[in-house]
Amino acid sequence: MLNKGLTEDDLFSFLSSRKKEDIDHRYILSSMCTLPHPVAVMAHCMFMETNLGDPGLFPGTASLERLLIERFGTLFHHREAGGYATSGGTESNIQALRLAKALRHATCPNVVVPESAHFSFKKACDILGLEMRTAPLGPDHRMSADAAAELVDKNTICMVGVAGTTEYGMVDPIADLAKIACQHDLFLHVDAAFGGMVIPFLERPVPFDFALPGVTTIAVDPHKMGMSTIPAGCLLTRETDMLDALNIDTPYLTVKKEYTLAGTRPGAPVAGALAVLDYFGVEGMKAIVAGCMKNTGRLIAGMGALGILPAAIPDVNVATFICEKAPSPWKVSWTRNGHLRIVCMPHVTRDRIEAFLNDFGDMHA
Ligand code: 0PR
């Protein structure tokens, strides 16, 4: 701690000098987050001091959280879905497995996840003392439902499918997983942290949500394709009061029980997330997603013209390529198989893609 405080000028010149060290979003092609939409920023600023951890003090903000869950429930074909706003996919995945563990009693509990599952499931299994069984992917980079079914036994408390995988942008065969879940009375969690704000708005949406009877819970992140401020995630449950299984007593708060993981929880990104949804509506989101998908297609075609093959044909706006180098100063990422990966987020506009393709072509020349 500084002994003597700074002047406002000194403080903010220090902060802005550090901010300048951050990478300019124009060059960020690797991120599943994007620049928050201006309405999200405005809403966020309005609700800066709110704490959903003590909702009795902020009933208006708490009503926005319920509305956000209702919006997603409706979008995911189940208006009565329960749920709450989390800090993102990691918390939603941890809480989904925690819920499965609470509802499904097993002596040595295990969870079946696809090889492509986000690393948050490793954290969740570690924290919750669960065995993580990994189902292989088919040649199409999607989870093999048959292989998953073979891993299920009487100690399986949850099966996980991913709708929009982090590395290759694929949607697992959730309908097949849902059938297996129904047959074996399994808890099925769908990680739609990324795809939940893409798939419903595609021209031909693949089934992944509560319309499939076997789906128990869904994770979706407004701070990814929802263009909200960070941190904004949601965990949705099929049954309205399902999360009550996680309740612990909070005797001195305005609510006497709590099922959330965090105690103090920001209302600001919840307002930001709802603001974006209500500002765009389904029609507006369709246009945003169509733009991102078109740019993904343009990038794949442009790379193809330079002789670079895609590593997968993605279901959502994540493009991967068989190549080893990318031009600077662009920030791309590399999958664990060594493929170049670019996420065509809303800030990755057509102009930026053309600029990247030009630089890529120059590098190869
Ligand atoms: N599930 C899926 C399918 C994800 O892709 C991610 C994160 C998570 C869960 C976890 O979400 P949170 O990170 O919100 O807890 N996917 C990105 C990734 O790990 C997150 C990210 C975003 C990473 C922006 C880097 C970045 O610049 O790649």
Side-chain angles (χ1 to χ4, degrees), residues 202-227:
L202 291 172
E203 270 173 44
R204 279 182 299 279
V206 270
F208 78 102
D209 62 20
F210 293 120
L212 301 166
V215 172
T216 319
T217 51
I218 302 178
V220 58
D221 282 357
H223 70 206
K224 294 189 167 76
M225 279 297 287
M227 297 170 287

Side-chain angles (χ1 to χ4, degrees), residues 31-33 88-90 93 118-120 164 166 191 193 221 223-224:
S31 175
M32 284 193 152
C33 293
T90 300
N93 290 338
H118 185 258
F119 52 75
S120 48
T166 312
D191 180 358
D221 282 357
H223 70 206
K224 294 189 167 76

Side-chain angles (χ1 to χ4, degrees), residues 211-289:
L212 301 166
V215 172
T216 319
T217 51
I218 302 178
V220 58
D221 282 357
H223 70 206
K224 294 189 167 76
M225 279 297 287
M227 297 170 287
S228 181
T229 48
I230 297 171
C234 288
L235 175 63
L236 282 280
T237 60
R238 177 178 291 278
E239 286 150 40
T240 317
D241 300 328
M242 215 168 187
L243 283 160
D244 288 347
L246 298 181
N247 267 339
I248 48 108
D249 295 332
T250 53
Y252 55 85
L253 299 185
T254 52
V255 282
K256 302 300 164 206
K257 289 184 189 307
E258 176 175 292
Y259 49 67
T260 56
L261 188 58
T264 302
R265 295 189 302 124
V270 169
L274 186 71
V276 175
L277 291 190
D278 285 5
Y279 180 73
F280 282 107
V282 171
E283 290 309 315
M285 279 310 300
K286 277 187 177 169
I288 300 272
V289 166

